[in-house]
């Protein structure tokens, strides 16, 4: 059987726990595909109509250096934070990045086939991951936050990454 995130999700034991309206949390096992460290995968399920999703960049903070995850959470007051970006050695973002309507990086990366997009503020809220190979990013859509990135999974839940013998470690 070919493993996909969707099949792992279906076959794992998980119980969603509501943290607040619009936010649920669950864990599942990534075995045997998590080859280093813990095989436990944590997931948040968000209803973007109830929870605002935002993309933030360290250059919009008073500090000159990027904060750690706990400092990000404290600075933003967010329920959850994660690092979703790829950066050049000089800390420039590698793809298109818009934060609260302000463009931080305007150059789309030709190899990145996904974008986390969100809108919010006073109007209706929405957030999703776009597959840019199927749905080009339309700036006129009014996304206030955009973080272009690698496309890890296709719309069917299949893994869309280059197969190598290398492991990501952290």
């Amino acid at each position: 059987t070919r493993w996909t995130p969707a099949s792992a999700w279906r076959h794992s034991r998980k119980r969603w726990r509501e943290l607040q309206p619009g936010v649920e949390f669950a864990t599942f096992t990534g075995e045997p595909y998590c080859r280093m460290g813990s095989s436990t995968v944590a997931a948040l399920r968000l209803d973007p109509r109830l929870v605002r999703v935002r993309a933030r960049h360290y250059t919009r903070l008073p500090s000159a250096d990027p904060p750690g995850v706990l400092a990000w959470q404290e600075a933003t007051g967010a329920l959850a934070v994660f690092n979703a970006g790829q950066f050049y050695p000089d800390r420039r973002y590698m793809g298109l990045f818009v934060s609260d309507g302000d463009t931080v990086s305007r150059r789309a990366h030709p190899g990145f086939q996904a974008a986390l997009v969100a809108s919010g503020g006073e109007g209706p809220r929405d957030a999703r991951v776009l597959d840019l190979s199927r749905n080009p990013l339309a700036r006129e859509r009014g996304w206030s936050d955009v973080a272009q990135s690698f496309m890890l999974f296709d719309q069917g839940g299949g893994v869309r990454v280059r197969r190598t013998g290398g492991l990501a470690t952290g």
Side-chain angles (χ1 to χ4, degrees), residues 142-153:
W143 301 115
S144 60
D145 295 87
V146 177
Q148 185 188 20
S149 188
F150 289 104
M151 186 66 169
L152 299 178
F153 310 110

Side-chain angles (χ1 to χ4, degrees), residues 111-134:
F112 292 0
Q113 294 299 307
L116 170 65
V117 295
S119 61
E122 299 303 314
R125 293 180 180 172
D126 191 11
R128 61 187 75 180
V129 175
L130 296 179
D131 180 344
L132 299 179
S133 70
R134 292 179 175 221

Side-chain angles (χ1 to χ4, degrees), residues 90-164:
D90 65 359
R91 297 184 180 161
R92 286 179 300 125
Y93 194 79
M94 293 178 97
L96 177 66
F97 196 96
V98 179
S99 179
D100 206 19
D102 294 330
T103 302
V104 174
S105 172
R106 60 181 73 258
R107 291 188 56 191
H109 191 289
F112 292 0
Q113 294 299 307
L116 170 65
V117 295
S119 61
E122 299 303 314
R125 293 180 180 172
D126 191 11
R128 61 187 75 180
V129 175
L130 296 179
D131 180 344
L132 299 179
S133 70
R134 292 179 175 221
N135 306 304
L137 185 60
R139 293 283 294 202
E140 65 276 4
R141 168 65 178 83
W143 301 115
S144 60
D145 295 87
V146 177
Q148 185 188 20
S149 188
F150 289 104
M151 186 66 169
L152 299 178
F153 310 110
D154 64 23
Q155 289 180 331
V159 177
R160 186 193 287 172
V161 293
R162 186 170 36 106
R163 305 268 184 223
T164 70

Side-chain angles (χ1 to χ4, degrees), residues 7-168:
S7 68
W9 201 250
R10 279 192 303 274
H11 300 300
S12 67
R13 293 181 189 205
K14 63 188 166 314
R15 287 195 354 235
W16 290 101
R17 184 177 59 149
E18 185 178 58
L19 301 179
Q20 69 182 46
V23 180
E24 295 176 311
F25 176 79
T27 60
F28 64 97
T29 181
E31 291 175 343
Y33 302 97
C34 295
R35 297 183 287 181
M36 295 182 69
S38 173
S39 64
T40 301
V41 177
L44 281 177
R45 185 163 59 181
L46 307 173
D47 182 342
R49 296 169 301 175
L50 301 175
V51 178
R52 182 143 188 220
V53 175
R54 302 172 90 178
R56 293 292 171 252
H57 195 269
Y58 82 95
T59 57
R60 297 178 44 94
L61 296 174
S63 172
D65 292 320
V69 69
L70 295 177
W72 264 115
Q73 191 169 23
E74 184 177 316
T76 62
L79 174 67
V81 296
F82 62 94
N83 183 351
Q86 290 80 37
F87 299 87
Y88 293 109
D90 65 359
R91 297 184 180 161
R92 286 179 300 125
Y93 194 79
M94 293 178 97
L96 177 66
F97 196 96
V98 179
S99 179
D100 206 19
D102 294 330
T103 302
V104 174
S105 172
R106 60 181 73 258
R107 291 188 56 191
H109 191 289
F112 292 0
Q113 294 299 307
L116 170 65
V117 295
S119 61
E122 299 303 314
R125 293 180 180 172
D126 191 11
R128 61 187 75 180
V129 175
L130 296 179
D131 180 344
L132 299 179
S133 70
R134 292 179 175 221
N135 306 304
L137 185 60
R139 293 283 294 202
E140 65 276 4
R141 168 65 178 83
W143 301 115
S144 60
D145 295 87
V146 177
Q148 185 188 20
S149 188
F150 289 104
M151 186 66 169
L152 299 178
F153 310 110
D154 64 23
Q155 289 180 331
V159 177
R160 186 193 287 172
V161 293
R162 186 170 36 106
R163 305 268 184 223
T164 70
L167 294 175

